[in-house]
Amino acid sequence: MTLRVNGESYSREWEARVTLLDALREDLGLTGTKKGCDRGECGACTVLVDGRRIKSCLTLAVMQQGREITTIEGLADGERLHPVQAAFIRHDGLQCGFCTPGQIMSGVACIREGHADSDDEVRDWMSGNLCRCGCYPNIVAAIRDAATSGKDN
Ligand code: FES
Ligand code: FES
């Protein structure tokens, strides 16, 4: 089967039971996507599939054939960071950084969905992404900044 990830096609003989998260990390070496809980609770494994955010631990790789998958590795434009990535740096939205790829992928989608008009709205629509370091105020500030500066696309 073939997966499209960050604009490239990867053909492998994946077993039907392999999750998208394991296919990305273990087989394609795209370890930016993190495994936190492996059961849909933490959001560390968030990627975009056809532009929509999903938790990659909760879906099988075989189910995502023919779709465009974007991971944190595919977000920047060459050396130029995505505006949400840049905003996370500006606002110091991370400590250990383990949750950060998932937070950023989810933040990109949150803005595109039109769910970043207030701090409360961002908190609500980012509630599927947990941060054990407790960086929430800075994460919210980064997403609001990227959203309001109109540079989210
Ligand atoms: S690893 Fe997927 S939600 Fe935690
Ligand atoms: S920055 Fe450490 S878990 Fe979020």
Side-chain angles (χ1 to χ4, degrees), residues 80-94:
R80 207 169 56 119
L81 292 179
H82 186 282
V84 176
Q85 291 176 304
F88 265 67
I89 294 172
R90 260 197 317 281
H91 290 272
D92 208 11
L94 57 141

Side-chain angles (χ1 to χ4, degrees), residues 27-153:
D27 300 316
L28 302 185
L30 296 169
T31 53
T33 304
K34 300 297 187 238
K35 182 183 283 193
C37 62
D38 209 18
R39 57 184 194 186
E41 291 173 358
C42 72
C45 65
T46 305
V47 300
L48 305 183
V49 174
D50 288 343
R52 299 180 62 189
R53 49 181 160 165
I54 66 164
K55 293 177 174 178
S56 60
C57 68
L58 289 186
T59 187
L60 298 172
V62 70
M63 294 165 66
Q64 305 307 333
Q65 291 181 95
R67 304 207 164 119
E68 285 294 332
I69 299 159
T70 307
T71 70
I72 191 74
E73 289 91 346
L75 206 55
D77 179 11
E79 292 295 303
R80 207 169 56 119
L81 292 179
H82 186 282
V84 176
Q85 291 176 304
F88 265 67
I89 294 172
R90 260 197 317 281
H91 290 272
D92 208 11
L94 57 141
Q95 284 185 38
C96 78
F98 192 84
C99 73
T100 312
Q103 299 278 5
I104 289 175
M105 300 312 286
S106 201
V108 168
C110 182
I111 294 168
R112 285 193 188 149
E113 292 160 10
H115 293 143
D117 286 338
S118 69
D119 287 9
D120 280 350
E121 195 179 21
V122 169
R123 272 187 217 107
D124 201 14
W125 287 88
M126 290 294 293
S127 61
N129 290 79
L130 305 182
C131 175
R132 61 191 170 187
C133 300
C135 294
Y136 297 112
N138 297 11
I139 291 170
V140 171
I143 293 171
R144 291 275 291 141
D145 184 2
T148 53
S149 60
K151 296 180 291 186
D152 52 304
N153 289 313

